[in-house]
Amino acid sequence: MISGAEIMVKCLEQENVEILFGYPGAAICPFYDALMDSQIEHILVRQEQNSVHAASGYARSVCKPGVCVATSGPGATNLITGIATAYMDSIPIIAITGQVRSDLIGRDVFQEADITGACEPFVKHSYLVKKTEDLPRIFKEAFYIATTGRPGPVLIDVPIDIQTNKIEEFIYPEKAEITGYKPRTEGHAKQIEKALELIKKSSRPIICAGGGVLTSGAKLKLVEFATKTGIPVVSTIMGKGAIPTDHELYVGNSGMHGRYSANKAVSECDVLFSIGTRFNDRITGDLNEFAPKAKIVHIDIDTASISRNVVVDVPIVADAKLALEKLAEWAEPKKHKAWLDEIKAWEE
């Protein structure tokens, strides 16, 4: 026989979790008892909000999901700001919360909060576990959802009785099978060809690199594509670091906190190649004046982000790395000396 709490720990071990951040409380104590026998390192924080921000920082640093743990009620609600941050920044996080006994949910008992409902706008998905037998499937799905498509946080809320209940055996699924969740990663070849055709005809193109370039591990492919085509690069705040800042083609940050030359280049370009950015207000400013002369290509893994703020001419739903691999392979070598000289003059 194996308890739900032991299953939770084994699920984390199966997902190769090496470290988690948390703060214990009554409703999550069975999990913490089971964690004592595991090699997973636990970092005790001073308050639950620290755990989710630490998990977010860990995920950004090592490019794997961060895991945080909190108890029910105020422990769980203290995670919300960090969960919302991870959602906006596309950071994969697994947030595990304890919950009051299943039969007491909805009765406003001590330290009960509807954390799945409270976090609904800020998670890719959330689970309220109702059967101990469901724990292996739920953990497998949670890690899959958090790390595929546009990455983001997933919440698993586990009532204390689900943690203490015992079942016959532990079987961890080999893969997640989720009806209706089929994230697209490879861009449509025809759309990529359209984008390359625009570049071929362009004399003043610009690449805008967003956080999606970093999330997908596409930095080297971006440099390869930009170098081959001779296209200068600006970055968003989240995209800084997508190309070395001392690279000859890097112009600087764009938008409200950007450089004059970068914003001038976006205003004067004839093709804007956006990769992994949502075109938020800090980048665009007045939408009516944003890149007014440009045909816009937008690569993003999140279908909902394309043409939401800025209507684009060539949408490409794809993982940035996979799309840039094709673009770098199919693009024709080109130089834009006059355009680069003009940008350098603006900088000076």
Side-chain angles (χ1 to χ4, degrees):
M1 301 291 284
I2 183 170
S3 71
E6 292 168 331
I7 289 172
M8 293 164 68
V9 173
K10 285 187 175 294
C11 290
L12 294 176
E13 291 172 341
Q14 287 290 319
E15 292 293 338
N16 299 313
V17 173
E18 298 175 347
I19 187 170
L20 55 81
F21 307 86
Y23 192 87
I28 197 66
C29 270
F31 169 78
Y32 271 95
D33 290 340
L35 191 63
M36 292 291 291
D37 297 324
S38 172
Q39 295 300 309
I40 298 174
E41 182 181 0
H42 177 267
I43 303 297
L44 178 66
V45 297
R46 294 298 183 95
Q47 196 248 28
E48 292 85 3
Q49 189 174 104
N50 296 344
S51 71
V52 65
H53 286 309
S56 176
Y58 175 82
R60 296 168 197 254
S61 300
V62 302
C63 299
K64 61 187 292 188
V67 181
C68 59
V69 184
T71 191
S72 64
T77 56
N78 279 342
L79 300 178
I80 293 177
T81 297
I83 289 173
T85 300
Y87 182 76
M88 293 302 293
D89 289 353
S90 304
I91 305 301
I93 283 179
I94 306 297
I96 301 170
T97 55
Q99 184 56 276
V100 301
R101 283 199 337 251
S102 301
D103 61 316
L104 297 178
I105 292 176
R107 298 188 181 185
D108 293 335
V109 298
F110 178 69
Q111 288 202 340
E112 179 194 358
D114 178 15
I115 190 61
T116 53
C119 287
E120 197 61 35
F122 309 121
V123 293
K124 283 193 73 178
H125 195 63
S126 60
Y127 294 92
L128 173 59
V129 186
K130 298 180 179 178
K131 294 181 181 178
T132 302
E133 293 84 353
D134 291 340
L135 281 168
R137 173 185 61 81
I138 287 173
F139 269 77
K140 188 67 178 181
E141 291 180 1
F143 276 87
Y144 179 67
I145 292 170
T147 56
T148 55
R150 176 188 169 189
V154 176
L155 173 74
I156 307 175
D157 194 32
V158 191
I160 190 170
D161 56 306
I162 301 300
Q163 299 173 53
T164 56
N165 287 348
K166 293 188 175 183
I167 60 174
E168 290 289 338
E169 61 179 343
F170 167 73
I171 301 175
Y172 199 62
E174 290 186 7
K175 62 179 183 177
E177 296 285 354
I178 307 173
T179 303
Y181 181 71
K182 300 272 190 282
R184 181 184 295 176
T185 56
E186 293 192 17
H188 196 285
K190 289 291 184 184
Q191 294 298 93
I192 293 175
E193 288 173 2
K194 286 181 183 178
L196 291 172
E197 191 62 30
L198 285 178
I199 293 174
K200 191 184 297 184
K201 297 175 181 178
S202 169
S203 60
R204 301 157 73 87
I206 199 88
I207 294 171
C208 180
V213 175
L214 299 172
T215 302
S216 66
K219 293 191 292 184
L220 296 179
K221 289 298 175 183
L222 172 64
V223 173
E224 181 183 348
F225 173 60
T227 303
K228 186 175 182 180
T229 56
I231 302 177
V233 181
V234 301
S235 60
T236 66
I237 295 172
M238 289 293 294
K240 191 164 185 178
I243 184 171
T245 54
D246 59 355
H247 195 283
E248 62 180 359
L249 291 174
Y250 182 62
V251 183
N253 267 13
S254 63
M256 179 183 291
H257 307 289
R259 300 173 74 91
Y260 172 79
S261 55
N263 286 326
K264 187 71 172 173
V266 171
S267 295
E268 298 296 329
C269 71
D270 57 7
V271 171
L272 175 62
F273 216 99
S274 172
I275 307 171
T277 178
R278 294 190 299 271
F279 286 123
N280 65 39
D281 62 302
R282 291 297 187 256
I283 299 303
T284 63
D286 185 346
L287 288 173
N288 295 318
E289 297 179 6
F290 178 73
K293 304 174 183 179
K295 294 286 186 180
I296 299 178
V297 178
H298 190 181
I299 299 174
D300 204 289
I301 199 163
D302 182 15
T303 308
S305 292
I306 295 180
S307 287
R308 179 170 58 187
N309 295 325
V310 174
V311 177
V312 303
D313 299 281
V314 182
I316 302 175
V317 180
D319 176 87
K321 185 176 182 179
L322 296 179
L324 281 167
E325 283 177 353
K326 289 183 179 178
L327 287 164
E329 179 184 351
W330 297 353
E332 297 178 3
K334 195 173 181 181
K335 299 293 182 184
H336 296 281
K337 186 178 184 306
W339 175 225
L340 289 169
D341 288 344
E342 193 171 357
I343 293 173
K344 286 178 182 177
W346 289 329
E347 177 63 22
E348 292 172 5

